[in-house]
């Protein structure tokens, strides 16, 4: 079992033991990802780079990942393959010879 599948299994067991599946609709999970990402972003607000509390960053990243794992399961998305596919798409959009050191969008390269 992959590490991603193991995490998914663990979070599903946690959720199911509490009868929370009823609250985890795709819409609510997508909203949860946004809310948890905003909580992560808040840790960096008004602080110089590097001063966000690392333990809180770790917790918020875990919250985001948990919601992502649940939403992926809802749609039977293999996250490993989705990331491999996305990297291939990005490699095509952002060839090294055009994008190295540039923050331009692919359509501007």
């Amino acid at each position: 079992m992959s590490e991603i599948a193991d995490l998914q299994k663990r979070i599903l067991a946690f959720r199911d033991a509490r009868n929370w599946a009823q609250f985890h609709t795709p819409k609510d999970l997508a909203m949860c990802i946004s809310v948890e990402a905003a909580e992560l972003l808040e840790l960096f607000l008004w602080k110089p780079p590097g001063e966000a509390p690392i333990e809180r960053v770790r917790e918020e990243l875990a919250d985001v990942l948990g919601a992502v794992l649940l939403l992926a399961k809802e749609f039977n998305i293999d996250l490993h393959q989705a990331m491999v596919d996305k990297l291939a798409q990005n490699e095509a959009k952002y060839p090294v010879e055009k994008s190295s050191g540039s923050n331009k969008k692919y359509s501007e390269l």
Side-chain angles (χ1 to χ4, degrees), residues 61-80:
L61 280 171
D63 287 342
V64 171
L65 179 58
V68 167
L69 291 169
L70 288 169
L71 187 57
K73 183 66 175 175
E74 198 66 30
F75 288 104
N76 295 314
I77 293 171
D78 176 337
L79 287 171
H80 177 268

Side-chain angles (χ1 to χ4, degrees), residues 4-13 69 72-73 77 79:
I4 292 174
D6 177 61
L7 288 174
Q8 215 164 27
K9 180 181 171 187
R10 288 172 181 240
I11 196 160
L12 287 166
L69 291 169
K73 183 66 175 175
I77 293 171
L79 287 171

Side-chain angles (χ1 to χ4, degrees), residues 12-50:
L12 287 166
F14 177 88
R15 179 198 70 184
D16 293 346
R18 289 154 182 81
N19 192 28
W20 287 351
Q22 61 187 317
F23 308 117
H24 292 171
T25 66
K27 172 193 68 81
D28 288 316
L29 290 169
M31 290 170 54
C32 179
I33 292 167
S34 179
V35 169
E36 296 299 345
E39 290 177 8
L40 173 63
L41 187 58
E42 185 179 27
L43 299 176
F44 295 90
L45 185 64
W46 314 123
K47 293 181 177 73

